[in-house]
Structure formats: structure tokens, C-alpha cells
Amino acid sequence: MKTKLIIVFTLIAMVTISCNSENKKNNDTLANSITEKYWKLKTLQGQEVIITDNQDHEIFITLHTDENRISGFAGCNSISGEYILKEGNRIQFKNMLTTLKMCPETVVNESQLLKAFELADNYTINDNILSLNVGKRAPLAVFEAIKTK
């Protein structure tokens, strides 16, 4: 009887370890396709984003693998927060924050960009173009990978 219990527990442990390794592998694969890249904003709510002379630098985000952090620049203020990647190219952003500088003239409405993060529930990547989407509708925001780490 003891031998049968040991065999059963060993099999359960092996299956559990195998499943956990596969989940970690799947999460690492998801992360490698979207994380640690400099994503420059190209369009927001269907409108092309063009940097003007008034703006110091481009609008961008980077999803960092350590602690699932997101950081970037929204046109006037720095942005930061957290993200969660799930199977099926699903994504969730949470605890999104910005600095509170006042800028009279910005290229994009920063609240629209934050709203895009709030609403996004999935993403697609094609040829270094990242689209943040809600459901199967048109992209909320489209970014281009400019450089990788």
C-alpha cells in the first residue's frame, strides 16, 4: 500500500512540475514578443500622432519584464504602471499613473492615452507594430518598435 501511495504522489508531483514549467514557458514566450522594446506611439484612437517642434521627445512606452512594469512618456508627463500578460494575446494594464506637469500644447490628449490603457484587453503584433485593442474593434493605440534592449 505504501509503495502505491508513493508512486501516486510521485506522479502527481511530476505532472504538477511539468504543468508549471509549461505555464512559465508560455508566459516567457508571450513576454518576449512585447516586452523590453521601445514602442513609439503612431496612432491614438485612429488619429496619426505627429511630433511637433514644441515637443521635446516622442510618445513611447516600454513594458519591463521585471515586476511587470510599464513606463513611458505621454507627451507632457511620464507614465508608469503595471501590466499582466495572459494567453491569447490578452493584456491588462493597472495602477497607471502620470506625473502632473501642466503643458498647454501637447500632440495628444494624455487622458485619451490613459483611457486606451484602461480599455485595452488584447494586443496584436505584426512586423514590429503593436496594436492595443478592446475586443475585436479598431485599435485604441498603435505603436512601432523602434529599438530593443
Side-chain angles (χ1 to χ4, degrees), residues 42-103:
K42 301 298 281 179
T43 66
L44 180 62
Q45 304 291 338
Q47 301 295 312
E48 186 177 359
V49 175
I50 299 171
I51 304 302
T52 64
D53 293 337
N54 296 345
Q55 191 164 336
D56 291 338
H57 53 288
E58 59 203 11
I59 300 167
F60 74 94
I61 60 168
T62 300
L63 284 76
H64 307 278
T65 52
D66 59 317
E67 300 176 18
N68 289 357
R69 293 178 309 107
I70 178 176
S71 65
F73 181 70
C76 174
N77 291 286
S78 296
I79 56 175
S80 64
E82 300 171 32
Y83 69 92
I84 299 169
L85 294 177
K86 302 174 184 176
E87 285 188 44
N89 285 4
R90 294 186 351 219
I91 193 166
Q92 177 185 3
F93 296 94
K94 60 184 193 172
N95 301 323
M96 296 298 290
L97 303 169
T98 66
T99 54
L100 298 174
K101 292 186 343 187
M102 294 274 302
C103 301

Side-chain angles (χ1 to χ4, degrees), residues 97-143:
L97 303 169
T98 66
T99 54
L100 298 174
K101 292 186 343 187
M102 294 274 302
C103 301
E105 295 181 30
T106 58
V107 174
V108 300
N109 181 332
E110 290 185 348
S111 62
Q112 281 185 332
L113 182 59
L114 290 174
K115 188 71 169 172
F117 291 120
E118 179 184 321
L119 294 174
D121 62 7
N122 71 86
Y123 68 93
T124 55
I125 297 178
N126 291 314
D127 297 326
N128 287 324
I129 301 295
L130 166 67
S131 298
L132 296 180
N133 315 303
V134 59
K136 295 185 184 227
R137 297 185 216 150
L140 300 166
V142 176
F143 298 84

